[in-house]
Amino acid sequence: MEADRFSTATYKPLVSILLAVYKPNNNWLIEQLISLNEQTYENIELLVYDDCPDFQINEEIIKKYITKFSYKLIRGIENKGSNKAFEELTKIAKGDFFAYCDQDDIWEYNKISSMLEKLQEKEVTLVCSDLSIIDESGNKTADSITDIRKRIVYKSGYNLAKDLLMTNFVTGCAMMVRKEIAQKAIPFEDTLIHDQWIAIIAAINGKIEFINKPLVKYRQHSFNQTGILKDVYDKKTYCQKRIEEFIYRYESLKKRFTNNEIEKIIDDTLIWLEARKSYFFKPSLDCLKIMIKYRKFHRISILIECFLPFIPNSIYKFIIKLTQKGII
């Protein structure tokens, strides 16, 4: 009955834009707010969560630039981080669909309407799109995020949870999800960014649809929260961030997904991760065999880690820099 209601020509479902802010650059925030206000879709509410009680956002900025639909500003009493901020917004939003939003990007005017078209299909739980890249001044530097993050491979279809566990291709500011799916994801998983976690829940419960066009101008700057090999500088930090933290993550996920279709994948991944950790500190043929056996999880990692214990740290630092620049 609900799916039929969404498909009627006259009914326009409510879309909740969920915007988390933390000490935003006011000029960038204004550009973002203008792009939200200029959306061609009409039935929208904006919920803003200010996660910085010590340097609160000026509400007059929102009031001035959001004129076509209602907004609500929630001020956090303590800094909880973006995951908790988006979780709080997810709890209180009233829309039929949720569109997550960052404070420094620019949305194309047809972003919401384009994503809603894809969500008319009953079994589609989440829609995501490509992003173009702009610099701090708003100048376009790339037509697609895949130009700078070459390992991103977008996918559409069913049974994508196993893919999303290891490599996320859903960017939070470029996705829209059904309300009931987003709220199923509560409480958000602490070991994952909110977009990857919601995407996994969406994949378990239905179909993910990719729109092969950039519907967001993603602003790349020195304060971006995510990036290629973030916080990896050398062999030691690689092990911490790419192996040990993944073990912690999968142990947490194992508790969340008992008696689930991806439980076996999580178990196998933990075997693979433990072998990688052991090999890093003390290379052995037995560990290498396990790493190769489960290489399907991330082939490039295994290719690098076979030689990682023997590569001088100075050379590895150089490889890291090339990877972060998107050269390799």
Side-chain angles (χ1 to χ4, degrees), residues 138-181:
N139 302 309
K140 183 189 284 189
T141 58
D143 293 325
S144 169
I145 196 171
T146 59
D147 292 337
I148 63 168
R149 297 186 184 174
K150 299 183 184 301
R151 292 185 178 86
I152 292 179
V153 178
Y154 285 114
K155 298 178 182 180
S156 291
Y158 298 92
N159 303 315
L160 293 178
K162 61 183 184 299
D163 304 275
L164 288 158
L165 277 169
M166 183 56 62
T167 306
N168 185 34
F169 58 83
V170 175
T171 307
C173 62
M175 76 177 188
M176 187 181 294
V177 62
R178 293 183 182 273
K179 174 181 182 177
E180 61 271 22
I181 296 299

mmCIF file of all heavy atoms in Angstrom, residues 138-181:
data_model
loop_
_atom_site.group_PDB
_atom_site.id
_atom_site.type_symbol
_atom_site.label_atom_id
_atom_site.label_comp_id
_atom_site.label_asym_id
_atom_site.label_seq_id
_atom_site.Cartn_x
_atom_site.Cartn_y
_atom_site.Cartn_z
ATOM 1 N N GLY A 138 35.965 26.501 -5.234
ATOM 2 C CA GLY A 138 34.788 26.112 -6.007
ATOM 3 C C GLY A 138 35.077 25.766 -7.447
ATOM 4 O O GLY A 138 34.147 25.531 -8.234
ATOM 5 N N ASN A 139 36.348 25.723 -7.839
ATOM 6 C CA ASN A 139 36.714 25.380 -9.215
ATOM 7 C C ASN A 139 36.718 23.866 -9.395
ATOM 8 O O ASN A 139 37.256 23.138 -8.548
ATOM 9 C CB ASN A 139 38.106 25.928 -9.547
ATOM 10 C CG ASN A 139 38.176 27.433 -9.377
ATOM 11 O OD1 ASN A 139 37.332 28.169 -9.905
ATOM 12 N ND2 ASN A 139 39.165 27.903 -8.633
ATOM 13 N N LYS A 140 36.133 23.395 -10.489
ATOM 14 C CA LYS A 140 36.102 21.954 -10.739
ATOM 15 C C LYS A 140 37.499 21.449 -11.053
ATOM 16 O O LYS A 140 38.216 22.003 -11.883
ATOM 17 C CB LYS A 140 35.160 21.612 -11.894
ATOM 18 C CG LYS A 140 35.044 20.106 -12.138
ATOM 19 C CD LYS A 140 34.281 19.781 -13.410
ATOM 20 C CE LYS A 140 32.787 19.960 -13.228
ATOM 21 N NZ LYS A 140 32.031 19.426 -14.400
ATOM 22 N N THR A 141 37.862 20.351 -10.386
ATOM 23 C CA THR A 141 39.177 19.743 -10.617
ATOM 24 C C THR A 141 39.070 18.336 -11.197
ATOM 25 O O THR A 141 40.058 17.795 -11.678
ATOM 26 C CB THR A 141 39.984 19.692 -9.310
ATOM 27 O OG1 THR A 141 39.249 18.944 -8.327
ATOM 28 C CG2 THR A 141 40.245 21.095 -8.778
ATOM 29 N N ALA A 142 37.878 17.736 -11.128
ATOM 30 C CA ALA A 142 37.678 16.397 -11.693
ATOM 31 C C ALA A 142 36.193 16.196 -11.965
ATOM 32 O O ALA A 142 35.333 16.693 -11.221
ATOM 33 C CB ALA A 142 38.185 15.314 -10.752
ATOM 34 N N ASP A 143 35.894 15.470 -13.024
ATOM 35 C CA ASP A 143 34.496 15.212 -13.398
ATOM 36 C C ASP A 143 33.861 14.118 -12.559
ATOM 37 O O ASP A 143 32.640 14.023 -12.470
ATOM 38 C CB ASP A 143 34.399 14.814 -14.877
ATOM 39 C CG ASP A 143 34.760 15.971 -15.799
ATOM 40 O OD1 ASP A 143 34.444 17.124 -15.443
ATOM 41 O OD2 ASP A 143 35.361 15.723 -16.860
ATOM 42 N N SER A 144 34.693 13.267 -11.955
ATOM 43 C CA SER A 144 34.196 12.139 -11.172
ATOM 44 C C SER A 144 35.129 11.885 -9.999
ATOM 45 O O SER A 144 36.348 12.076 -10.105
ATOM 46 C CB SER A 144 34.116 10.875 -12.040
ATOM 47 O OG SER A 144 33.890 9.720 -11.244
ATOM 48 N N ILE A 145 34.567 11.431 -8.887
ATOM 49 C CA ILE A 145 35.397 11.097 -7.732
ATOM 50 C C ILE A 145 36.323 9.927 -8.054
ATOM 51 O O ILE A 145 37.386 9.778 -7.449
ATOM 52 C CB ILE A 145 34.524 10.790 -6.495
ATOM 53 C CG1 ILE A 145 35.385 10.830 -5.220
ATOM 54 C CG2 ILE A 145 33.795 9.464 -6.644
ATOM 55 C CD1 ILE A 145 34.593 10.766 -3.939
ATOM 56 N N THR A 146 35.945 9.114 -9.052
ATOM 57 C CA THR A 146 36.801 7.986 -9.438
ATOM 58 C C THR A 146 38.090 8.452 -10.114
ATOM 59 O O THR A 146 39.027 7.676 -10.256
ATOM 60 C CB THR A 146 36.050 7.020 -10.374
ATOM 61 O OG1 THR A 146 35.619 7.730 -11.547
ATOM 62 C CG2 THR A 146 34.831 6.428 -9.680
ATOM 63 N N ASP A 147 38.137 9.719 -10.513
ATOM 64 C CA ASP A 147 39.374 10.254 -11.081
ATOM 65 C C ASP A 147 40.453 10.428 -10.020
ATOM 66 O O ASP A 147 41.648 10.406 -10.327
ATOM 67 C CB ASP A 147 39.110 11.613 -11.758
ATOM 68 C CG ASP A 147 38.241 11.482 -12.995
ATOM 69 O OD1 ASP A 147 38.206 10.394 -13.583
ATOM 70 O OD2 ASP A 147 37.592 12.484 -13.360
ATOM 71 N N ILE A 148 40.034 10.634 -8.763
ATOM 72 C CA ILE A 148 41.020 10.824 -7.694
ATOM 73 C C ILE A 148 41.044 9.650 -6.719
ATOM 74 O O ILE A 148 42.005 9.504 -5.964
ATOM 75 C CB ILE A 148 40.764 12.137 -6.930
ATOM 76 C CG1 ILE A 148 39.398 12.113 -6.223
ATOM 77 C CG2 ILE A 148 40.867 13.336 -7.855
ATOM 78 C CD1 ILE A 148 39.206 13.243 -5.241
ATOM 79 N N ARG A 149 39.997 8.852 -6.703
ATOM 80 C CA ARG A 149 39.966 7.640 -5.877
ATOM 81 C C ARG A 149 39.731 6.464 -6.808
ATOM 82 O O ARG A 149 38.609 5.991 -6.989
ATOM 83 C CB ARG A 149 38.878 7.747 -4.806
ATOM 84 C CG ARG A 149 39.129 8.885 -3.836
ATOM 85 C CD ARG A 149 38.142 8.916 -2.697
ATOM 86 N NE ARG A 149 38.367 10.078 -1.834
ATOM 87 C CZ ARG A 149 37.581 10.428 -0.834
ATOM 88 N NH1 ARG A 149 36.505 9.698 -0.558
ATOM 89 N NH2 ARG A 149 37.838 11.495 -0.095
ATOM 90 N N LYS A 150 40.821 6.010 -7.376
ATOM 91 C CA LYS A 150 40.740 5.081 -8.496
ATOM 92 C C LYS A 150 40.251 3.692 -8.101
ATOM 93 O O LYS A 150 39.891 2.894 -8.960
ATOM 94 C CB LYS A 150 42.112 4.991 -9.183
ATOM 95 C CG LYS A 150 42.570 6.337 -9.745
ATOM 96 C CD LYS A 150 43.874 6.232 -10.485
ATOM 97 C CE LYS A 150 44.362 7.603 -10.948
ATOM 98 N NZ LYS A 150 43.425 8.286 -11.835
ATOM 99 N N ARG A 151 40.226 3.405 -6.798
ATOM 100 C CA ARG A 151 39.789 2.077 -6.371
ATOM 101 C C ARG A 151 38.271 1.992 -6.170
ATOM 102 O O ARG A 151 37.746 0.928 -5.883
ATOM 103 C CB ARG A 151 40.528 1.670 -5.093
ATOM 104 C CG ARG A 151 42.013 1.429 -5.330
ATOM 105 C CD ARG A 151 42.701 0.901 -4.074
ATOM 106 N NE ARG A 151 44.108 0.623 -4.319
ATOM 107 C CZ ARG A 151 45.075 1.515 -4.231
ATOM 108 N NH1 ARG A 151 44.779 2.756 -3.897
ATOM 109 N NH2 ARG A 151 46.337 1.192 -4.470
ATOM 110 N N ILE A 152 37.577 3.127 -6.277
ATOM 111 C CA ILE A 152 36.119 3.092 -6.157
ATOM 112 C C ILE A 152 35.526 2.432 -7.390
ATOM 113 O O ILE A 152 35.810 2.835 -8.522
ATOM 114 C CB ILE A 152 35.532 4.509 -6.000
ATOM 115 C CG1 ILE A 152 35.925 5.103 -4.648
ATOM 116 C CG2 ILE A 152 34.003 4.479 -6.134
ATOM 117 C CD1 ILE A 152 35.405 6.508 -4.404
ATOM 118 N N VAL A 153 34.721 1.412 -7.177
ATOM 119 C CA VAL A 153 33.995 0.754 -8.258
ATOM 120 C C VAL A 153 32.510 0.774 -7.889
ATOM 121 O O VAL A 153 32.083 0.082 -6.964
ATOM 122 C CB VAL A 153 34.470 -0.701 -8.476
ATOM 123 C CG1 VAL A 153 33.650 -1.364 -9.582
ATOM 124 C CG2 VAL A 153 35.957 -0.739 -8.801
ATOM 125 N N TYR A 154 31.735 1.572 -8.582
ATOM 126 C CA TYR A 154 30.307 1.676 -8.284
ATOM 127 C C TYR A 154 29.575 0.420 -8.738
ATOM 128 O O TYR A 154 29.912 -0.176 -9.775
ATOM 129 C CB TYR A 154 29.706 2.893 -8.982
ATOM 130 C CG TYR A 154 30.065 4.202 -8.329
ATOM 131 C CD1 TYR A 154 30.872 5.139 -8.987
ATOM 132 C CD2 TYR A 154 29.594 4.519 -7.063
ATOM 133 C CE1 TYR A 154 31.195 6.346 -8.388
ATOM 134 C CE2 TYR A 154 29.912 5.725 -6.458
ATOM 135 C CZ TYR A 154 30.708 6.634 -7.131
ATOM 136 O OH TYR A 154 31.023 7.827 -6.530
ATOM 137 N N LYS A 155 28.553 0.033 -7.981
ATOM 138 C CA LYS A 155 27.785 -1.166 -8.296
ATOM 139 C C LYS A 155 26.303 -0.917 -8.053
ATOM 140 O O LYS A 155 25.933 -0.113 -7.201
ATOM 141 C CB LYS A 155 28.254 -2.353 -7.431
ATOM 142 C CG LYS A 155 29.703 -2.738 -7.662
ATOM 143 C CD LYS A 155 30.144 -3.872 -6.751
ATOM 144 C CE LYS A 155 31.629 -4.203 -6.962
ATOM 145 N NZ LYS A 155 32.085 -5.295 -6.091
ATOM 146 N N SER A 156 25.479 -1.608 -8.820
ATOM 147 C CA SER A 156 24.037 -1.612 -8.610
ATOM 148 C C SER A 156 23.584 -3.053 -8.462
ATOM 149 O O SER A 156 24.220 -3.977 -8.986
ATOM 150 C CB SER A 156 23.304 -0.969 -9.791
ATOM 151 O OG SER A 156 23.526 0.414 -9.862
ATOM 152 N N GLY A 157 22.471 -3.249 -7.738
ATOM 153 C CA GLY A 157 21.898 -4.584 -7.674
ATOM 154 C C GLY A 157 21.675 -5.078 -6.266
ATOM 155 O O GLY A 157 21.695 -4.321 -5.296
ATOM 156 N N TYR A 158 21.484 -6.389 -6.185
ATOM 157 C CA TYR A 158 21.213 -7.052 -4.916
ATOM 158 C C TYR A 158 22.498 -7.692 -4.360
ATOM 159 O O TYR A 158 23.503 -7.815 -5.056
ATOM 160 C CB TYR A 158 20.158 -8.149 -5.118
ATOM 161 C CG TYR A 158 18.819 -7.642 -5.592
ATOM 162 C CD1 TYR A 158 18.525 -7.576 -6.961
ATOM 163 C CD2 TYR A 158 17.830 -7.242 -4.690
ATOM 164 C CE1 TYR A 158 17.296 -7.116 -7.407
ATOM 165 C CE2 TYR A 158 16.590 -6.796 -5.128
ATOM 166 C CZ TYR A 158 16.334 -6.732 -6.487
ATOM 167 O OH TYR A 158 15.112 -6.279 -6.935
ATOM 168 N N ASN A 159 22.429 -8.095 -3.086
ATOM 169 C CA ASN A 159 23.499 -8.871 -2.442
ATOM 170 C C ASN A 159 24.853 -8.161 -2.486
ATOM 171 O O ASN A 159 25.891 -8.773 -2.747
ATOM 172 C CB ASN A 159 23.618 -10.258 -3.108
ATOM 173 C CG ASN A 159 22.320 -11.028 -3.071
ATOM 174 O OD1 ASN A 159 21.651 -11.084 -2.039
ATOM 175 N ND2 ASN A 159 21.949 -11.609 -4.207
ATOM 176 N N LEU A 160 24.839 -6.868 -2.210
ATOM 177 C CA LEU A 160 26.078 -6.090 -2.262
ATOM 178 C C LEU A 160 26.704 -5.856 -0.885
ATOM 179 O O LEU A 160 27.725 -5.178 -0.775
ATOM 180 C CB LEU A 160 25.823 -4.739 -2.944
ATOM 181 C CG LEU A 160 25.473 -4.796 -4.436
ATOM 182 C CD1 LEU A 160 25.200 -3.400 -4.976
ATOM 183 C CD2 LEU A 160 26.585 -5.464 -5.230
ATOM 184 N N ALA A 161 26.108 -6.414 0.166
ATOM 185 C CA ALA A 161 26.644 -6.186 1.520
ATOM 186 C C ALA A 161 28.070 -6.680 1.651
ATOM 187 O O ALA A 161 28.917 -6.034 2.271
ATOM 188 C CB ALA A 161 25.738 -6.859 2.558
ATOM 189 N N LYS A 162 28.357 -7.830 1.050
ATOM 190 C CA LYS A 162 29.710 -8.405 1.151
ATOM 191 C C LYS A 162 30.742 -7.490 0.504
ATOM 192 O O LYS A 162 31.893 -7.422 0.956
ATOM 193 C CB LYS A 162 29.732 -9.791 0.500
ATOM 194 C CG LYS A 162 29.397 -9.817 -0.972
ATOM 195 C CD LYS A 162 29.362 -11.229 -1.512
ATOM 196 C CE LYS A 162 29.123 -11.258 -3.018
ATOM 197 N NZ LYS A 162 27.834 -10.645 -3.402
ATOM 198 N N ASP A 163 30.359 -6.782 -0.559
ATOM 199 C CA ASP A 163 31.269 -5.842 -1.215
ATOM 200 C C ASP A 163 31.477 -4.596 -0.361
ATOM 201 O O ASP A 163 32.594 -4.087 -0.236
ATOM 202 C CB ASP A 163 30.712 -5.443 -2.586
ATOM 203 C CG ASP A 163 30.457 -6.641 -3.476
ATOM 204 O OD1 ASP A 163 31.390 -7.100 -4.138
ATOM 205 O OD2 ASP A 163 29.304 -7.123 -3.502
ATOM 206 N N LEU A 164 30.383 -4.125 0.237
ATOM 207 C CA LEU A 164 30.442 -2.894 1.025
ATOM 208 C C LEU A 164 31.168 -3.069 2.354
ATOM 209 O O LEU A 164 31.653 -2.101 2.925
ATOM 210 C CB LEU A 164 29.019 -2.383 1.276
ATOM 211 C CG LEU A 164 28.329 -1.783 0.046
ATOM 212 C CD1 LEU A 164 26.813 -1.798 0.213
ATOM 213 C CD2 LEU A 164 28.820 -0.363 -0.195
ATOM 214 N N LEU A 165 31.239 -4.283 2.841
ATOM 215 C CA LEU A 165 31.953 -4.528 4.092
ATOM 216 C C LEU A 165 33.411 -4.105 3.999
ATOM 217 O O LEU A 165 33.962 -3.496 4.914
ATOM 218 C CB LEU A 165 31.892 -6.015 4.454
ATOM 219 C CG LEU A 165 30.643 -6.509 5.172
ATOM 220 C CD1 LEU A 165 30.629 -8.035 5.198
ATOM 221 C CD2 LEU A 165 30.562 -5.958 6.589
ATOM 222 N N MET A 166 34.054 -4.409 2.899
ATOM 223 C CA MET A 166 35.479 -4.157 2.756
ATOM 224 C C MET A 166 35.757 -2.822 2.081
ATOM 225 O O MET A 166 36.628 -2.067 2.510
ATOM 226 C CB MET A 166 36.133 -5.297 1.958
ATOM 227 C CG MET A 166 37.638 -5.166 1.809
ATOM 228 S SD MET A 166 38.535 -5.038 3.395
ATOM 229 C CE MET A 166 38.134 -6.618 4.151
ATOM 230 N N THR A 167 35.014 -2.493 1.023
ATOM 231 C CA THR A 167 35.282 -1.277 0.257
ATOM 232 C C THR A 167 33.976 -0.538 0.013
ATOM 233 O O THR A 167 33.122 -1.011 -0.745
ATOM 234 C CB THR A 167 35.950 -1.607 -1.090
ATOM 235 O OG1 THR A 167 37.118 -2.400 -0.851
ATOM 236 C CG2 THR A 167 36.345 -0.339 -1.814
ATOM 237 N N ASN A 168 33.841 0.617 0.615
ATOM 238 C CA ASN A 168 32.614 1.393 0.475
ATOM 239 C C ASN A 168 32.623 2.195 -0.824
ATOM 240 O O ASN A 168 33.602 2.869 -1.132
ATOM 241 C CB ASN A 168 32.460 2.345 1.663
ATOM 242 C CG ASN A 168 31.135 3.081 1.633
ATOM 243 O OD1 ASN A 168 30.129 2.538 1.191
ATOM 244 N ND2 ASN A 168 31.136 4.314 2.100
ATOM 245 N N PHE A 169 31.530 2.115 -1.582
ATOM 246 C CA PHE A 169 31.405 2.942 -2.782
ATOM 247 C C PHE A 169 30.246 3.926 -2.658
ATOM 248 O O PHE A 169 29.913 4.627 -3.625
ATOM 249 C CB PHE A 169 31.241 2.075 -4.040
ATOM 250 C CG PHE A 169 30.050 1.142 -4.022
ATOM 251 C CD1 PHE A 169 28.792 1.584 -4.370
ATOM 252 C CD2 PHE A 169 30.211 -0.179 -3.654
ATOM 253 C CE1 PHE A 169 27.700 0.720 -4.352
ATOM 254 C CE2 PHE A 169 29.130 -1.055 -3.633
ATOM 255 C CZ PHE A 169 27.872 -0.605 -3.984
ATOM 256 N N VAL A 170 29.632 3.996 -1.485
ATOM 257 C CA VAL A 170 28.516 4.905 -1.251
ATOM 258 C C VAL A 170 29.006 6.084 -0.420
ATOM 259 O O VAL A 170 29.459 5.908 0.708
ATOM 260 C CB VAL A 170 27.360 4.189 -0.524
ATOM 261 C CG1 VAL A 170 26.254 5.184 -0.170
ATOM 262 C CG2 VAL A 170 26.793 3.056 -1.382
ATOM 263 N N THR A 171 28.934 7.279 -0.991
ATOM 264 C CA THR A 171 29.332 8.491 -0.276
ATOM 265 C C THR A 171 28.100 9.125 0.350
ATOM 266 O O THR A 171 27.095 9.330 -0.330
ATOM 267 C CB THR A 171 30.004 9.488 -1.235
ATOM 268 O OG1 THR A 171 31.068 8.833 -1.932
ATOM 269 C CG2 THR A 171 30.556 10.687 -0.481
ATOM 270 N N GLY A 172 28.185 9.446 1.650
ATOM 271 C CA GLY A 172 27.015 9.896 2.394
ATOM 272 C C GLY A 172 26.284 11.063 1.774
ATOM 273 O O GLY A 172 25.051 11.076 1.683
ATOM 274 N N CYS A 173 27.020 12.069 1.310
ATOM 275 C CA CYS A 173 26.382 13.262 0.745
ATOM 276 C C CYS A 173 25.789 13.004 -0.634
ATOM 277 O O CYS A 173 25.092 13.866 -1.184
ATOM 278 C CB CYS A 173 27.376 14.410 0.684
ATOM 279 S SG CYS A 173 28.804 14.112 -0.375
ATOM 280 N N ALA A 174 26.059 11.835 -1.195
ATOM 281 C CA ALA A 174 25.549 11.498 -2.530
ATOM 282 C C ALA A 174 24.652 10.270 -2.480
ATOM 283 O O ALA A 174 24.621 9.459 -3.402
ATOM 284 C CB ALA A 174 26.704 11.271 -3.500
ATOM 285 N N MET A 175 23.882 10.138 -1.381
ATOM 286 C CA MET A 175 22.974 8.997 -1.267
ATOM 287 C C MET A 175 21.625 9.447 -0.725
ATOM 288 O O MET A 175 21.512 10.484 -0.066
ATOM 289 C CB MET A 175 23.556 7.908 -0.354
ATOM 290 C CG MET A 175 23.484 8.197 1.126
ATOM 291 S SD MET A 175 24.130 6.819 2.123
ATOM 292 C CE MET A 175 23.663 7.371 3.775
ATOM 293 N N MET A 176 20.602 8.658 -1.031
ATOM 294 C CA MET A 176 19.285 8.829 -0.431
ATOM 295 C C MET A 176 18.769 7.451 -0.062
ATOM 296 O O MET A 176 18.959 6.486 -0.813
ATOM 297 C CB MET A 176 18.310 9.527 -1.384
ATOM 298 C CG MET A 176 16.973 9.871 -0.721
ATOM 299 S SD MET A 176 15.791 10.661 -1.848
ATOM 300 C CE MET A 176 16.648 12.202 -2.140
ATOM 301 N N VAL A 177 18.150 7.345 1.103
ATOM 302 C CA VAL A 177 17.757 6.038 1.631
ATOM 303 C C VAL A 177 16.339 6.112 2.175
ATOM 304 O O VAL A 177 15.884 7.172 2.618
ATOM 305 C CB VAL A 177 18.766 5.593 2.723
ATOM 306 C CG1 VAL A 177 18.765 6.572 3.898
ATOM 307 C CG2 VAL A 177 18.487 4.185 3.206
ATOM 308 N N ARG A 178 15.650 4.986 2.135
ATOM 309 C CA ARG A 178 14.318 4.928 2.715
ATOM 310 C C ARG A 178 14.398 5.090 4.237
ATOM 311 O O ARG A 178 15.315 4.586 4.876
ATOM 312 C CB ARG A 178 13.640 3.596 2.377
ATOM 313 C CG ARG A 178 13.327 3.432 0.903
ATOM 314 C CD ARG A 178 12.593 2.130 0.619
ATOM 315 N NE ARG A 178 12.362 2.000 -0.819
ATOM 316 C CZ ARG A 178 11.310 2.504 -1.457
ATOM 317 N NH1 ARG A 178 10.369 3.128 -0.762
ATOM 318 N NH2 ARG A 178 11.179 2.360 -2.758
ATOM 319 N N LYS A 179 13.412 5.757 4.792
ATOM 320 C CA LYS A 179 13.380 6.029 6.231
ATOM 321 C C LYS A 179 13.511 4.751 7.047
ATOM 322 O O LYS A 179 14.307 4.681 7.989
ATOM 323 C CB LYS A 179 12.075 6.741 6.593
ATOM 324 C CG LYS A 179 11.854 6.941 8.086
ATOM 325 C CD LYS A 179 10.518 7.624 8.360
ATOM 326 C CE LYS A 179 10.320 7.874 9.850
ATOM 327 N NZ LYS A 179 9.057 8.604 10.121
ATOM 328 N N GLU A 180 12.715 3.717 6.689
ATOM 329 C CA GLU A 180 12.695 2.504 7.500
ATOM 330 C C GLU A 180 14.036 1.781 7.485
ATOM 331 O O GLU A 180 14.412 1.116 8.453
ATOM 332 C CB GLU A 180 11.581 1.558 7.041
ATOM 333 C CG GLU A 180 11.687 1.051 5.615
ATOM 334 C CD GLU A 180 11.008 1.939 4.581
ATOM 335 O OE1 GLU A 180 10.803 3.146 4.883
ATOM 336 O OE2 GLU A 180 10.688 1.445 3.496
ATOM 337 N N ILE A 181 14.801 1.934 6.395
ATOM 338 C CA ILE A 181 16.126 1.317 6.308
ATOM 339 C C ILE A 181 17.116 2.068 7.189
ATOM 340 O O ILE A 181 17.885 1.468 7.952
ATOM 341 C CB ILE A 181 16.617 1.292 4.849
ATOM 342 C CG1 ILE A 181 15.695 0.411 3.990
ATOM 343 C CG2 ILE A 181 18.060 0.805 4.771
ATOM 344 C CD1 ILE A 181 15.638 -1.036 4.413
#
